[in-house]
Amino acid sequence: MHIFPETVLESSDPFGMIERSATLASAQTITVFPAYFPDILEQLDDAAPENDSNASHWTLRKNENLHGLREFSPGDRVAWIDWKTTAKTGTMMTREFENSALSRISVGFFGADDPNFEYALRAAYSFSRKLLEQNNELRITLFGTEIETFDFGRGSKHLHEISQAFAEIKPQKVDILLAPFEKELKESGALLLFVPRITKTLTRQIQKLADKKVILISIYEPEENQPNVIYLHKDLLTPTQGGES
């Protein structure tokens, strides 16, 4: 966004109207970040699916009493994922219990050209910012007109870099995004992916790499929900509903 210092020129026309104009010199650029929703983790927790009455819901909240590892199952809490073991084995492993907050996570934003693009952007940005504010280590890839990947990092510098990228990303056609998305999925192995909506094309792409673990967070909610997908209603991502600029 460009802001120009204004020089007001006033002149009366025959009808008594005042004409105003502004100089276009010395343009300044202001970066506008997406709206921030600091309660994003609670929103995800509330929206997470339950497989049955005894299933553990997906959450990023703390748990207690670490005990053992096992393979990730749909319905497990995201906070249970043991990322170091996952990286070594190539299989997403979760802790039975955890006594500290999640430390590392790979996040993706699939910036498909869609009416819900802006809402998905806000959700992905809020999630990333919240985790970095909690001193988690974050790797993020943004898929849009530009493909940008930020390797694992933490702290204010990392937050500023990804915030700048979130502010500048523009939507892209799904078909163009599929190839770089597949490449990222092969490299990351486990990914929490924010999307405007889940399409058949995207689903097929994920199913091609069945050994990779992808947790999907979608804004658009179809008539029949897909299992193991978190649907966030866009009303929760509207600034008038408690968001923060």
Side-chain angles (χ1 to χ4, degrees), residues 20-192:
R20 295 179 182 270
S21 63
T23 62
L24 301 180
S26 303
Q28 299 179 13
T29 300
I30 292 181
T31 300
V32 180
F33 300 123
Y36 176 47
F37 297 83
D39 63 345
I40 186 67
L41 301 189
E42 288 76 13
Q43 291 180 12
L44 291 173
D45 193 32
D46 292 341
E50 295 278 351
N51 291 336
D52 56 57
S53 59
N54 297 317
S56 300
H57 57 13
W58 291 352
T59 182
L60 287 162
R61 296 173 181 173
K62 294 182 180 180
N63 202 14
E64 301 294 338
N65 304 321
L66 175 63
H67 175 69
L69 295 173
R70 59 174 171 77
E71 188 171 350
F72 180 88
S73 298
D76 284 345
R77 299 183 182 185
V78 175
W80 289 354
I81 299 172
D82 187 302
W83 293 96
K84 290 183 179 179
T85 304
T86 295
K88 291 179 180 179
T89 63
T91 300
M92 184 173 283
M93 303 296 292
T94 64
R95 299 180 176 98
E96 291 284 0
F97 300 95
E98 185 177 5
N99 59 7
S100 62
L102 182 65
S103 60
R104 303 183 89 200
I105 189 169
S106 294
V107 177
F109 170 61
F110 195 79
D113 191 1
D114 186 272
N116 291 313
F117 171 87
E118 184 64 31
Y119 296 103
L121 178 71
R122 293 172 185 173
Y125 170 72
S126 297
F127 180 82
S128 302
R129 176 172 166 178
K130 186 67 175 181
L131 261 64
L132 287 171
E133 288 178 348
Q134 294 180 345
N135 202 37
N136 293 297
E137 195 171 359
L138 192 68
R139 181 181 192 273
I140 188 164
T141 301
L142 305 181
F143 302 92
T145 49
E146 301 291 337
I147 312 297
E148 292 191 82
T149 296
F150 301 86
D151 206 357
F152 284 111
R154 57 162 55 98
S156 58
K157 181 180 178 181
H158 197 54
L159 174 58
H160 177 76
E161 289 175 346
I162 69 167
S163 295
Q164 188 77 27
F166 270 113
E168 296 174 353
I169 190 171
K170 299 293 187 296
Q172 181 60 276
K173 293 181 179 179
V174 173
D175 292 344
I176 297 177
L177 296 179
L178 291 179
F181 172 65
E182 181 176 351
K183 180 176 181 293
E184 168 61 21
L185 194 55
K186 289 178 179 178
E187 292 179 356
S188 65
L191 188 68
L192 197 152

